[in-house]
Amino acid sequence: MPDPQHVLATRVQAALGAAFGPSYADADPVIRPSSFADLQANVALPLAKKLGRRPREVAEEIVANLDTGDVVSNVEVSGPGFINLTLSDGWIAAEAQRALYDERLGVPAAVKAQKIVVEYSSPNVAKEMHVGHLRTTIVGDAIARILAFLGHDVVRDNHVGDWGTPFGMLIEHLLDLGEDAAARGDSSVSDLTAFYQAARQKFDGDEAFADRARSRVVALQAGDAETMRLWNLLVDVSKRYFNAVYGQLGVTLTDDDIKGESFYNDLLAPTVRELEEKGIAVISDGALCAFPPGFTGREGEPLPVIIRKSDGGYNYSTTDLATIRYRVDTEHVDRMIYVVGATQALHFQMVFAVARMAGWLSDGVQAEHAQIGSVLGTDGKLLRTRAGRTVKLSELLEEAVERAGAVFDEVQHDDSFDAADRVAIVRDVGMGAVKYADLSVARDSEYTFDFDRMISFNGKTGPYLQYATARIRSIFRKGGVAPEDATGPIVLGHPAERALALELLGFGAAVQQAGDTAEPHRLANYVFAVADAYTTFHENCPVLKAPDEATKASRLALCAATLRTLVTGLDLLGVPTPERM
């Protein structure tokens, strides 16, 4: 499905070359939405300065050389030199029809597929996921889905925290409880928050226990077989918990996507050694550090990236550098996307800078931090429980489903549901509400978690979009027609038909932009615009009671194209679309 802006940009560039010479054929035509037409080319204003001519005169010469073909029905110059472009109804209809026939809705697969690692979620073993993991999990999963749809080789990477000094106390606490408790799924172990807190309390208050824990860390780092077996018990309990949460959310992460900190443990020393050999890492105050240029403290002193601590231990920076080295040398990736909180921005800037100094990142390998903003409560502060504790993610999701059920029961429905249907639909509505509320805002901005707003069936919400798809499916059920059998032909008569068809043509551009920038909100905002255009169409253009069979066939085809666009777009965002609501 060609993006109208791209189509017009190509034609205006051809006109620029014809009017002013080949050197101008690659100039930005500055295509923008217009209040007076479908789109507007504003290139005449900046170009006039280079040519030393009046903008309106330049615009008129562009128009004189513009091949409108069957794409544009009307062109006019307005104001100081704006070129207003109205698309042909026939062209819009034909392109919407073409997209309807295409299983990819006209979105081409990448000409040159990249291997892209998307690192997201990244919880800690033996700790419950909290609200802070909500956005990294939802946004990361949407980015992975979008890039895979575009034809890239996507590697989902759940970089869990599964190594380090806390595991000494956790293993010893497990032994005190009895390791069979983990296998049985006893609450003393499966309640990860309580398990961790109990281990910490013993470590802080029992010196004998603390000594055992420290000795256990040494054994763990040495690869002691029995200690590794116990460590694996904790990892397995955590995996079961992670998978339960991922199942609730409907994200695509699996056990195969886990590459925890332990995975890179054997790569730390070789990574540090290479940095030393290249003269990048040097001793400073007893620690081994790298000093990437351009990073300074308040007093102008160079800021270090600590590669190895003064006690000989490694840290997050070491692991992140080893990870980059592995992804480049072993996995041969083209792009790495780290879906991590915005508070880690400086850390990643400096780690990427050191990786570039080492030659691991080059022009052919892109690393980017997809910054994630915080989740706020309705009081404008970080979302917490009334008691001031961090909100458990599983409890938050359970409350979303409960609230969705209450709202769902108050809404008028076209169909009747049995108890099992209601449970499934309400679950989808609750998860769709939470996910769309997150994905509809820019990932690096904060957003307010407000159940009342996000679970509403009105406004820019997940339930509104889900209901739009269900309403279209209801039309096909009532009409006794399968959506795939609604082939048109599409003919545009009413302005609402035209507006909807034109909106549908933007799907490919929205998906591409979301993938290029790793910003799912671009796609989320687009699908809302489609649903909004469909609502206007639905209110003004009867489908099953259309004035004649040709109009009915055309409108059913528009409904089918809209349904496929909404369902595909929402699926790329990870938002479920119930058949009935």
Side-chain angles (χ1 to χ4, degrees):
M1 185 186 306
D3 174 29
Q5 290 198 35
H6 178 73
V7 171
L8 292 181
T10 301
R11 291 184 177 246
V12 172
Q13 283 179 321
L16 290 170
F20 309 113
S23 62
Y24 291 93
D26 60 352
D28 181 0
V30 198
I31 305 293
R32 300 288 186 268
S34 172
S35 301
F36 307 100
D38 292 321
L39 293 164
Q40 192 175 75
N42 297 339
V43 65
L45 282 74
L47 187 58
K49 294 181 180 179
K50 292 183 180 181
L51 297 172
R53 298 167 62 178
R54 292 188 303 112
R56 190 175 180 92
E57 179 185 317
V58 171
E60 289 170 347
E61 191 159 350
I62 293 171
V63 170
N65 287 275
L66 181 65
D67 177 15
T68 58
D70 61 347
V71 177
V72 177
S73 62
N74 186 54
V75 185
E76 60 180 26
V77 178
S78 67
F82 303 120
I83 302 173
N84 295 320
L85 302 159
T86 300
L87 295 164
S88 160
D89 288 0
W91 181 82
I92 295 172
E95 293 305 322
Q97 186 85 49
R98 189 173 292 115
L100 180 61
Y101 290 149
D102 188 340
E103 64 179 12
R104 291 181 54 81
L105 289 167
V107 182
V111 175
K112 184 179 180 182
Q114 291 184 312
K115 188 171 186 179
I116 305 175
V117 172
V118 183
E119 180 182 309
Y120 65 104
S121 194
S122 305
N124 291 313
V125 164
K127 285 187 178 180
E128 289 202 49
M129 296 172 72
H130 53 76
V131 68
H133 294 106
L134 177 66
R135 300 202 73 189
T136 58
T137 303
I138 291 174
V139 173
D141 199 59
I143 292 171
R145 287 169 181 260
I146 291 167
L147 291 171
F149 179 77
L150 288 170
H152 298 293
D153 178 10
V154 176
V155 179
R156 292 165 171 80
D157 193 333
N158 195 357
H159 193 89
V160 302
D162 64 353
W163 201 251
T165 54
F167 284 91
M169 70 178 190
L170 294 171
I171 291 172
E172 289 301 317
H173 182 50
L174 176 64
L175 288 172
D176 287 351
L177 293 174
E179 62 178 88
D180 59 332
R184 294 194 309 269
D186 285 6
S187 60
S188 57
V189 178
S190 59
D191 185 343
L192 297 178
T193 297
F195 179 81
Y196 186 92
Q197 290 173 344
R200 170 57 68 181
Q201 186 175 9
K202 287 165 71 173
F203 184 86
D204 292 338
D206 185 338
E207 190 57 37
F209 177 86
D211 288 340
R212 285 162 47 202
R214 294 186 189 100
S215 297
R216 185 64 69 177
V217 171
V218 174
L220 178 65
Q221 293 174 339
D224 173 68
E226 176 63 9
T227 301
M228 291 299 296
R229 185 183 67 81
L230 295 167
W231 172 81
N232 273 306
L233 283 176
L234 289 175
V235 171
D236 288 343
V237 170
S238 295
K239 282 182 179 179
R240 291 197 294 270
Y241 163 72
F242 297 155
N243 289 334
V245 174
Y246 296 149
Q248 278 181 290
L249 275 172
V251 300
T252 53
L253 286 170
T254 68
D255 288 350
D256 293 337
D257 301 317
I258 291 179
K259 280 195 183 76
E261 293 170 356
S262 62
F263 179 86
Y264 301 98
N265 194 49
D266 293 340
L267 303 177
L268 300 183
T271 299
V272 170
R273 185 164 56 248
E274 183 175 339
L275 290 171
E276 287 183 289
E277 291 171 351
K278 291 182 175 179
I280 296 169
V282 296
I283 298 296
S284 176
D285 293 331
L288 188 67
C289 304
F291 292 89
F295 295 93
T296 57
R298 292 181 179 179
E299 304 300 324
E301 73 281 8
L303 283 179
V305 174
I306 299 175
I307 309 297
R308 187 179 62 219
K309 296 182 288 187
S310 57
D311 62 4
Y314 301 120
N315 58 15
Y316 290 127
S317 294
T318 325
T319 302
D320 285 339
L321 287 166
T323 301
I324 292 173
R325 182 170 172 262
Y326 174 82
R327 288 172 177 168
V328 172
D329 293 347
T330 303
E331 294 188 303
H332 306 293
V333 305
D334 301 296
R335 183 181 179 190
M336 307 173 216
I337 304 173
Y338 293 76
V339 187
V340 182
T343 56
Q344 297 297 309
L346 180 61
H347 165 79
F348 281 110
Q349 290 170 17
M350 297 183 72
V351 165
F352 294 161
V354 173
R356 281 189 287 271
M357 293 168 69
W360 302 327
L361 293 180
S362 60
D363 291 341
V365 183
Q366 180 182 355
E368 59 199 84
H369 176 199
Q371 297 185 33
I372 302 297
S374 299
V375 181
L376 307 179
T378 52
D379 59 359
K381 300 177 181 178
L382 289 177
L383 184 64
R384 295 188 180 277
T385 66
R386 291 180 179 177
R389 296 191 300 270
T390 301
V391 178
K392 294 182 180 181
L393 184 52
S394 58
E395 293 178 356
L396 189 76
L397 300 181
E398 289 168 3
E399 184 175 355
V401 173
E402 181 181 337
R403 286 175 175 255
V407 175
F408 181 81
D409 291 340
E410 296 175 356
V411 176
Q412 183 177 355
H413 306 288
D414 293 337
D415 301 293
S416 59
F417 310 100
D418 60 25
D421 286 339
R422 180 190 174 281
V423 168
I425 294 170
V426 165
R427 182 183 63 245
D428 285 348
V429 171
M431 292 305 97
V434 170
K435 296 176 85 169
Y436 187 79
D438 191 316
L439 293 166
S440 62
V441 298
R443 55 169 167 73
D444 59 348
S445 64
E446 297 176 332
Y447 87 99
T448 300
F449 194 96
D450 182 352
F451 274 126
D452 291 338
R453 181 187 61 79
M454 66 176 58
I455 296 179
S456 172
F457 278 72
N458 298 304
K460 192 175 181 180
T461 67
Y464 171 79
L465 293 168
Q466 291 170 317
Y467 184 70
T469 65
R471 184 165 55 182
I472 298 173
R473 285 173 167 140
S474 177
I475 288 175
F476 284 104
R477 282 196 303 274
K478 291 176 180 177
V481 180
E484 56 270 22
D485 294 333
T487 57
I490 295 174
V491 179
L492 305 179
H494 194 282
E497 293 174 312
R498 185 184 189 279
L500 175 59
L502 182 58
E503 197 69 61
L504 293 175
L505 300 191
F507 180 61
V511 175
Q512 190 66 58
Q513 289 170 3
D516 289 345
T517 61
E519 294 179 335
H521 77 277
R522 295 176 181 270
L523 178 57
N525 291 337
Y526 168 77
V527 292
F528 173 75
V530 170
D532 215 31
Y534 179 79
T535 296
T536 302
F537 163 83
H538 181 79
E539 292 170 349
N540 290 277
C541 303
V543 178
L544 299 180
K545 295 182 179 180
D548 53 66
E549 287 302 312
T551 302
K552 177 181 176 181
S554 173
R555 290 176 180 175
L556 280 171
L558 263 179
C559 287
T562 303
L563 178 62
R564 285 189 55 211
T565 301
L566 287 174
V567 170
T568 303
L570 289 170
D571 182 65
L572 294 180
L573 297 171
V575 175
T577 50
E579 287 286 330
R580 299 184 299 158
M581 287 180 68

